[in-house]
């Protein structure tokens, strides 16, 4: 047997994943936050695999029971974020959110969440047999997004809810920041635990902004990979609670017992890089984004108050463009956005984009501005509020069948309908699929989505 270069090249040539991604030569206006820009990584970090891919030995440490250099790393995290407890997960914000809910909820209890919460929260509610109560933020029909939580309505809900755990997303996938100081004060008034899913705002502290923890949340969860130069899967939990022992036990129980040292050291590097360069890079980028968006400002989310500027949502439909027109321009300038649907496009930045060549994106918007034609288009419909027939976990007790979406009106959903991204359910298990739901899905995803796709429903025959 010979381990020669020719044999290894043959293996390389046969790899589906490698060969599918090796020519991904696009400008990445999507997560993760490192944007594929190699110059921010020294060679020793870029070449960490396989040398640093070790396991727990007498010469290393254990993420799930840190006693030496990982303990020191987490102590530095607590010092930087002014938290009482922290946990770095290599299973993303999903692991951290689900562990928190498992810690603070009671069997067959309930949780209170914003309706546009991430699917991971719905999934753990189903597994733990929890009912879900909803907060419905206000809605902007120009851009088709939930916006701000009304404080009076929120307090009314807190007064009557049986939930002891409140989970709020801030910022949202589209950059909407909630008033966490007010929300925190109200949850404390009614003796509730407040967990803030700040996955999309992981960069805040590094650029001088307050985190949800600074604003009074009991627990703040942030993805490191979305907006920082950290690898996919890396996420951070910060707690202000005095007693975190049960939470720590559950976090450990639900985490892999073989965490990757390569991902850990890449995460540490990304954090330290962000401490040193994040603020300068961010404000340089902010200036570029303000100038870029000015000609189309009224058609973007930048006109909202206190917006997270690293998410630029643009309604091209209002300027007379079809999705096919936008795809042509994206291809012309080799740009990949975070998301695109029939009427909107989302660009997702990190402060690392300050180092990118913005000429392609400028040219993209210049082409739009030159050809724009302001027309009166239909506003986005309000997302449906389906009637709940069963609790989310109760559907597991029923026989299920598949039907075409177009034929599902009046049936009970046995599996959530979740456009992804952003991963927020339109219909949840146990809810009626009504006419409004079908029309809403057709509006954002197109009639072909309704015609071609099936949905799991409860078989009532």
């Amino acid at each position: 047997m010979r381990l020669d270069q020719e044999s290894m090249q043959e293996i390389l040539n046969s790899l589906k994943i490698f060969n599918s991604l090796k020519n991904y030569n696009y400008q990445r206006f999507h997560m993760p936050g490192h944007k594929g820009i190699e110059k921010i990584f020294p060679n020793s970090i870029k070449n960490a695999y396989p040398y640093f891919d070790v396991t727990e030995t007498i010469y290393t440490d254990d993420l799930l029971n840190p006693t030496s250099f990982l303990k020191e790393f987490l102590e530095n995290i607590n010092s930087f974020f002014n938290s009482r407890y922290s946990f770095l997960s290599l299973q993303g914000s999903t692991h951290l959110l689900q562990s928190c809910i498992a810690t603070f909820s009671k069997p067959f209890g309930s949780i209170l969440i914003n309706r546009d919460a991430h699917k991971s929260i719905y999934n753990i509610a189903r597994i733990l047999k929890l009912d879900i109560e909803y907060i419905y933020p206000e809605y902007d029909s120009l851009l088709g997004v939930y916006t701000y939580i009304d404080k009076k309505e929120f307090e009314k809900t807190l007064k009557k809810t049986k939930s002891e755990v409140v989970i709020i997303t801030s910022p949202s996938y589209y950059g909407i920041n909630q008033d966490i100081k007010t929300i925190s004060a109200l949850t404390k008034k009614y003796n509730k635990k407040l967990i803030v899913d700040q996955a999309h705002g992981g960069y805040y502290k590094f650029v001088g902004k307050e985190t949800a923890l600074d604003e009074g949340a009991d627990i703040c969860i942030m993805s490191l990979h979305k907006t920082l130069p950290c690898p996919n899967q890396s996420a951070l939990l910060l707690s202000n609670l005095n007693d975190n022992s049960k939470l720590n036990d559950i976090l450990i129980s639900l985490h892999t017992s073989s965490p990757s040292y390569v991902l850990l050291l890449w995460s540490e590097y990304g954090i330290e890089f962000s401490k040193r360069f994040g603020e300068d890079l961010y404000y340089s980028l902010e200036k570029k984004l303000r100038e870029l968006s000015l000609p189309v400002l009224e058609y973007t989310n930048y006109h909202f108050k206190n917006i997270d500027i690293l998410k630029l949502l643009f309604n091209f439909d209002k300027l007379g463009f079809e999705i096919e027109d936008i795809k042509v321009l994206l291809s012309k300038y080799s740009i990949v956005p975070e998301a695109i649907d029939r009427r909107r496009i989302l660009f997702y930045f990190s402060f690392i984009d300050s180092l990118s060549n913005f000429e392609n994106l400028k040219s993209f918007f210049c082409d739009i501005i030159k050809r724009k034609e302001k027309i009166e288009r239909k506003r986005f419909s309000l997302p449906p509020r389906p009637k709940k027939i069963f609790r989310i976990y109760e559907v597991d007790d029923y026989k299920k069948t598949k039907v075409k979406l177009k034929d599902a009106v009046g049936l009970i959903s046995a599996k959530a309908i979740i456009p992804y991204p952003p991963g927020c359910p339109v219909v949840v298990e146990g809810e009626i699929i009504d006419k409004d739901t079908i029309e809403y899905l057709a509006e954002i995803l197109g009639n072909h989505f309704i015609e071609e796709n099936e949905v799991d429903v409860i078989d009532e025959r």
Side-chain angles (χ1 to χ4, degrees):
M1 182 182 71
R2 293 177 56 202
L3 293 177
D4 57 276
Q5 288 299 315
E6 183 179 349
S7 297
M8 286 186 278
Q9 185 61 48
E10 287 175 0
I11 295 172
L12 204 59
N13 293 341
S14 72
L15 300 180
K16 301 294 185 293
I17 298 171
F18 175 82
N19 289 295
S20 295
L21 293 176
K22 69 178 181 180
N23 294 320
Y24 196 79
N25 299 319
Y26 304 99
Q27 194 150 10
R28 307 178 187 187
F29 294 121
H30 58 75
M31 55 181 96
H34 56 70
K35 304 302 180 123
I37 297 177
E38 292 190 10
K39 67 181 179 181
I40 65 173
F41 298 104
N43 287 334
S44 54
I45 295 295
K46 284 191 289 187
N47 300 326
Y49 184 85
Y51 182 82
F52 288 94
D53 193 24
V54 295
T55 189
E56 294 76 23
T57 72
I58 57 174
Y59 299 112
T60 61
D61 201 352
D62 182 355
L63 178 66
L64 306 187
N65 184 29
T67 58
S68 59
F69 58 85
L70 287 177
K71 181 181 179 182
E72 185 178 349
F73 164 66
L74 291 171
E75 287 171 349
N76 290 339
I77 290 287
N78 287 334
S79 177
F80 179 73
F81 284 99
N82 195 29
S83 53
R84 289 193 174 100
Y85 169 83
S86 60
F87 188 96
L88 192 146
S89 174
L90 298 181
Q91 294 173 191
S93 293
T94 291
H95 164 242
L96 300 176
L97 282 165
Q98 293 183 341
S99 296
C100 284
I101 294 168
T103 301
F104 300 113
S105 61
K106 294 179 179 178
F108 297 98
S110 64
I111 54 176
L112 178 63
I113 68 175
N114 50 284
R115 177 70 191 202
D116 55 330
H118 190 262
K119 64 179 182 178
S120 59
I121 297 172
Y122 290 86
N123 290 341
I124 196 65
R126 183 174 179 177
I127 292 168
L128 296 177
K129 300 188 182 303
L130 300 173
D131 197 10
I132 303 176
E133 299 178 83
Y134 297 110
I135 305 154
Y136 286 92
E138 296 168 349
Y139 186 74
D140 182 87
S141 60
L142 172 64
L143 287 172
V145 295
Y146 282 113
T147 58
Y148 304 103
I149 293 171
D150 181 88
K151 313 310 178 295
K152 291 181 180 178
E153 290 299 317
F154 181 61
E155 184 165 15
K156 284 181 187 177
T157 303
L158 286 177
K159 284 180 180 178
K160 63 183 181 181
T161 183
K162 295 179 182 178
S163 302
E164 296 181 3
V165 181
V166 180
I167 303 133
I168 299 294
T169 305
S170 180
S172 71
Y173 185 65
Y174 300 112
I176 304 296
N177 282 300
Q178 301 297 341
D179 181 357
I180 297 300
K181 286 182 180 177
T182 298
I183 289 172
S184 173
L186 287 171
T187 54
K188 285 178 171 58
K189 179 180 176 180
Y190 293 94
N191 198 30
K192 312 291 185 186
K193 286 274 191 313
L194 176 61
I195 301 165
V196 176
D197 176 3
Q198 202 158 53
H200 296 289
Y203 74 95
Y204 280 8
K205 193 74 169 181
F206 299 95
V207 302
K209 296 175 179 284
E210 287 188 316
T211 67
L213 206 71
D214 297 323
E215 296 181 308
D218 295 303
I219 291 174
C220 171
I221 292 167
M222 49 185 66
S223 291
L224 298 178
H225 68 91
K226 285 180 169 63
T227 55
L228 299 178
C230 294
N232 267 321
Q233 300 176 219
S234 56
L236 187 64
L237 179 147
L238 305 169
S239 172
N240 258 341
L241 298 174
N242 291 319
D243 183 1
N244 295 284
S245 54
K246 183 181 178 182
L247 174 59
N248 187 65
D249 287 346
I250 291 181
L251 284 164
I252 291 171
S253 298
L254 297 179
H255 196 278
T256 176
S257 58
S258 301
S260 164
Y261 273 101
V262 175
L263 294 181
L264 285 171
L265 73 88
W266 278 340
S267 297
E268 183 183 23
Y269 177 80
I271 288 169
E272 294 304 316
F273 179 96
S274 302
K275 286 180 184 178
R276 179 168 297 195
F277 300 111
E279 193 160 358
D280 287 343
L281 290 173
Y282 172 78
Y283 286 106
S284 171
L285 176 64
E286 183 184 41
K287 183 180 178 182
K288 292 178 181 178
L289 292 176
R290 296 288 183 196
E291 293 172 353
L292 182 76
S293 64
L294 194 59
V296 292
L297 185 63
E298 63 181 298
Y299 308 106
T300 75
N301 57 340
Y302 282 10
H303 71 272
F304 292 134
K305 63 182 180 183
N306 191 27
I307 193 71
D308 176 4
I309 200 168
L310 297 193
K311 289 84 180 163
L312 173 56
L313 181 64
F314 171 51
N315 184 342
F316 55 79
D317 179 66
K318 294 291 287 185
L319 295 177
F321 287 84
E322 303 289 342
I323 185 173
E324 291 77 15
D325 303 323
I326 299 300
K327 286 182 175 179
V328 167
L329 289 178
L330 291 173
S331 177
K332 177 181 177 181
Y333 294 111
S334 297
I335 291 171
V336 181
E338 170 69 20
I340 184 170
D341 60 31
R342 292 177 64 237
R343 301 168 67 180
R344 306 167 301 177
I345 187 168
L346 176 67
F347 297 100
Y348 200 108
F349 302 98
S350 80
F351 52 68
I352 300 301
D353 282 304
S354 182
L355 303 173
S356 300
N357 181 353
F358 257 61
E359 293 308 310
N360 283 351
L361 194 59
K362 286 180 182 177
S363 297
F364 172 86
F365 276 101
C366 281
D367 278 9
I368 286 176
I369 292 161
K370 282 188 294 186
R371 295 169 48 194
K372 74 176 181 178
E373 178 185 350
K374 185 174 181 179
I375 60 175
E376 195 59 39
R377 294 270 186 151
K378 180 183 174 184
R379 286 178 171 264
F380 282 91
S381 301
L382 187 70
R385 296 190 181 186
K387 182 179 179 181
K388 181 164 71 174
I389 305 300
F390 300 114
R391 295 180 180 90
I392 190 170
Y393 58 87
E394 291 176 332
V395 300
D396 294 333
D397 298 329
Y398 290 86
K399 185 179 177 183
K400 302 167 185 65
T401 188
K402 289 184 181 292
V403 300
K404 290 284 188 182
L405 260 174
K406 64 184 178 66
D407 300 322
V409 174
L411 300 179
I412 301 170
S413 175
K415 188 175 182 180
I417 301 173
I418 309 174
Y420 197 87
C424 305
V426 174
V427 178
V428 177
E429 292 91 340
E431 293 179 339
I432 288 280
I433 302 170
D434 57 22
K435 183 181 177 183
D436 289 344
T437 298
I438 300 298
E439 290 177 351
Y440 177 78
L441 289 168
E443 181 179 301
I444 61 172
L445 299 173
N447 287 323
H448 68 280
F449 183 85
I450 305 301
E451 296 289 333
E452 297 170 6
N453 285 279
E454 293 183 322
V455 62
D456 290 352
V457 297
I458 290 177
D459 189 346
E460 300 180 88
R461 292 174 294 178

